[in-house]
Amino acid sequence: MGMPATIPAPIALSPRVVVFDYGEVISRAPSADDRAALLARAGVAAPDAEAFWAAYWAHRDELDRGTLPIADYWSLVADEIGATWSDLDVHELWAIDHRSWLSVDPGTLAVLHALRSGGTRLALLSNAGPDFGGWLRHGSFAPLFEAVFVSGELHAVKPEAEIFEHVMRELGIGPEDLLFVDNKAVNVDGAVAVGGAGHVFEDAAGLEAWLRALAA
């Protein structure tokens, strides 16, 4: 059994609101085992893995926007790599893929708790299909956030201005109070483009340093 994790000293940034991405910020990236399991179930041999991942990501924005049903998404992936999958195959591919994104990074969670204990308002904004809504709203970390925004429910994705403007309206803030954290620079640029400030996440230590500098 490992040592109990500790929560850092509070970080107070009120009236600013810190809006967090989910994937690869709060969650960890899918592991090598996760990726291997998906390739195996898809029937993709190692030499063809690169083509599979290219097809996997090619239509992800449409899936995350909520305009492409899950079955249609996997059909497009199959078409691009020359695979044939039954409806039952697709159910399993979806489940393996979905589970691979359900994890937490304890370092990021410690920072979230420090912000919360400092009275800082928090929200979550994820590019994800509507099938992730339950996990994001009802997982153990969900009470840390006053609002959860899922792109697949809003039919808009980061880095589009529309989704950041929606978030600010719902939170009742102007761009000067928007602090956005994402692992993708293009998404952070989207927040900056509407007048907010942002941090490109690499690790929890860098995130905490950025937030404490703002608090100081």
Side-chain angles (χ1 to χ4, degrees):
M1 181 179 295
M3 294 293 293
T6 58
I7 295 172
I11 305 172
L13 288 168
S14 181
R16 290 171 287 186
V17 182
V18 187
V19 180
F20 276 78
D21 175 36
Y22 169 72
E24 300 181 72
V25 175
I26 295 170
S27 79
R28 290 172 166 159
S31 69
D33 286 345
D34 292 328
R35 291 164 60 89
L38 188 58
L39 290 171
R41 185 60 187 83
V44 175
D48 301 318
E50 185 175 346
F52 173 85
W53 294 116
Y56 173 95
W57 288 111
H59 304 286
R60 206 72 181 187
D61 275 358
E62 296 168 76
L63 185 68
D64 289 347
R65 193 185 295 274
T67 55
L68 185 65
I70 292 167
D72 292 349
Y73 165 79
W74 286 106
S75 179
L76 289 171
V77 175
D79 288 346
E80 291 200 16
I81 66 172
T84 301
W85 296 322
S86 71
D87 290 344
L88 298 182
D89 294 329
V90 167
H91 292 317
E92 287 198 78
L93 290 167
W94 169 81
I96 293 167
D97 184 42
H98 192 82
R99 284 197 302 269
S100 76
W101 291 99
L102 305 186
S103 66
V104 293
D105 184 313
T108 302
L109 288 173
V111 175
L112 283 164
H113 277 275
L115 287 162
R116 182 65 181 265
S117 63
T120 302
R121 296 175 64 192
L122 299 171
L124 189 155
L125 170 60
S126 178
N127 273 3
D131 51 320
F132 280 89
W135 167 253
L136 297 177
R137 289 196 175 87
H138 303 292
S140 69
F141 52 80
L144 294 168
F145 301 103
E146 67 176 78
V148 172
F149 303 97
V150 182
S151 65
E153 298 172 350
L154 301 175
H155 303 303
V157 295
K158 299 173 290 185
E160 295 167 356
E162 176 185 353
I163 199 165
F164 291 108
E165 290 165 353
H166 175 87
V167 167
M168 289 188 290
R169 283 196 304 272
E170 291 294 309
L171 294 173
I173 62 172
E176 68 279 1
D177 288 329
L178 172 66
L179 299 175
F180 181 62
V181 179
D182 198 294
N183 66 307
K184 295 181 179 177
V186 65
N187 292 338
V188 172
D189 290 344
V192 172
V194 299
H199 174 76
V200 180
F201 179 89
E202 294 183 358
D203 56 41
L207 170 63
E208 183 179 355
W210 178 69
L211 292 167
R212 291 197 185 279
L214 291 175

